[in-house]
Amino acid sequence: MIMPAGRPLLLPANPRFIGLSLVLALLLHMLLGLWGQDWVPDVLAIAMVFWTVHQPRKVGLVLAFVMGLMVDVHESALLGQNALSYVVLCGLATATQRRMLWFPLGEQALQILPLFIAASVVEWLTRLLVHDAWPSWSMLLAPFLQAGLWPLIGAMLLAPQRRAFERDDIRPL
């Protein structure tokens, strides 16, 4: 397997670790949702896109839809509103997956920002069409915060998979 120069070798992610990280992201999303602020970044969306990009065979559109329905039930939102947003987000992430893997996490944040903006606009438009009230403009700030958190969350999720180039007896990994 050819790796770009200077990149550490990565082992495939453990499915249990993927599931645990998504459950923890869902719980953190629910906890942050208690504030009731629209500008709070969607940690679950970041984790979903991350695993869609890095493990597309294990995390995809069906899981994004199911997680979106869970968020809809928790927020007492229109059933399918967040699910639609997550499916659009993961579908766009799948389309750009091969290109994004060639960039480091910092540059991936710039690549992922339009995807987060598109998902936020989809959610904003569904709220506009369904509700009588005008959605909050602060909701459009969240994608920029999500893109800013991308390198940090990405580094945390990639940490268990990093392996040294040369294995020796001194290092446990």
Side-chain angles (χ1 to χ4, degrees), residues 102-140:
W102 282 97
F103 294 103
L105 287 173
E107 293 176 19
Q108 284 180 8
L110 295 174
Q111 304 267 333
I112 205 75
L113 178 62
L115 279 64
F116 287 138
I117 290 173
S120 182
V121 166
V122 165
E123 187 175 347
W124 197 76
L125 287 174
T126 55
R127 284 187 184 183
L128 182 64
L129 291 173
V130 174
H131 296 290
D132 293 333
W134 186 264
S136 170
W137 285 101
S138 64
M139 196 173 148
L140 297 177

Side-chain angles (χ1 to χ4, degrees), residues 9-29:
L9 295 174
L10 296 176
L11 295 177
N14 187 346
R16 286 187 220 148
F17 178 70
I18 294 172
L20 177 67
S21 67
L22 288 174
V23 167
L24 289 177
L26 176 65
L27 293 175
L28 184 61
H29 174 76

